[in-house]
Amino acid sequence: MNEYPLLPKQMPATIKSVWRKTILLTAAIFIIIGVGLTVLLANLDSINRAVTIGLSIYFGIIILTTVIALALIPYRYQFYRFEVTPEDLAFQKGYFFRSITYVPMNRIQHVETEQGPFLRKENLMEIVIHTAATSHRIAGLDMAEALDLREQIINLVKVAKEDV
């Protein structure tokens, strides 16, 4: 049985901490919304058996999806990769449904760097590669590596567009 090919470049291990914090923050927001809704319904004397079952399902789904997302972080990390060649950029993602997307250098319109609070805390950065159709992200790169990679991509795009 052949193994699915893995691209060579992997994110730094600290990206797992960013993913964990993002999952927990998202869960906390949904729990706060659920608690607020529960308090509102209790103050309106609108809690009956159907509402109780609905709220139980709501909180159960939040807890279940949070636990599953946290458990899958190592798998996500293993299969979230990229590769830069003179001809194209390749993005690999997915642990159950795996995909590799190739973006030709001459299709890239511009490159951005982004850094949210969780990435900043870990000294990481995200590169966003824009094409006419969509954008692709490489999240969780070391800051120096992200800036170097951005320059490398920009230079490769210039060369690719000169060759056309």
Side-chain angles (χ1 to χ4, degrees), residues 30-99:
F30 280 106
I31 287 172
I32 290 169
I33 291 170
V35 168
L37 182 61
T38 303
V39 169
L40 176 69
L41 291 172
N43 286 335
L44 296 174
D45 292 327
S46 297
I47 294 191
N48 56 34
R49 184 178 172 100
V51 171
T52 303
I53 291 172
L55 288 171
S56 298
I57 291 171
Y58 175 80
F59 286 113
I61 289 172
I62 293 170
I63 292 168
L64 184 64
T65 56
T66 301
V67 169
I68 290 171
L70 289 171
L72 291 177
I73 286 176
Y75 299 102
R76 180 180 178 188
Y77 177 72
Q78 178 67 27
F79 296 105
Y80 192 88
R81 296 167 176 256
F82 68 98
E83 181 179 32
V84 179
T85 68
E87 297 82 31
D88 55 34
L89 262 159
F91 303 92
Q92 183 173 31
K93 63 181 178 179
Y95 32 86
F96 292 123
F97 301 100
R98 300 178 188 171
S99 69

Side-chain angles (χ1 to χ4, degrees), residues 120-154:
R120 190 172 345 172
K121 178 116 172 79
E122 300 293 335
N123 287 328
L124 300 175
M125 197 172 261
E126 178 176 36
I127 292 182
V128 185
I129 294 97
H130 294 274
T131 64
T134 188
S135 61
H136 303 276
R137 296 175 178 272
I138 304 173
L141 298 171
D142 290 319
M143 287 178 60
E145 182 184 5
L147 295 173
D148 290 343
L149 183 59
R150 183 190 68 190
E151 289 304 313
Q152 179 187 1
I153 292 169
I154 289 170

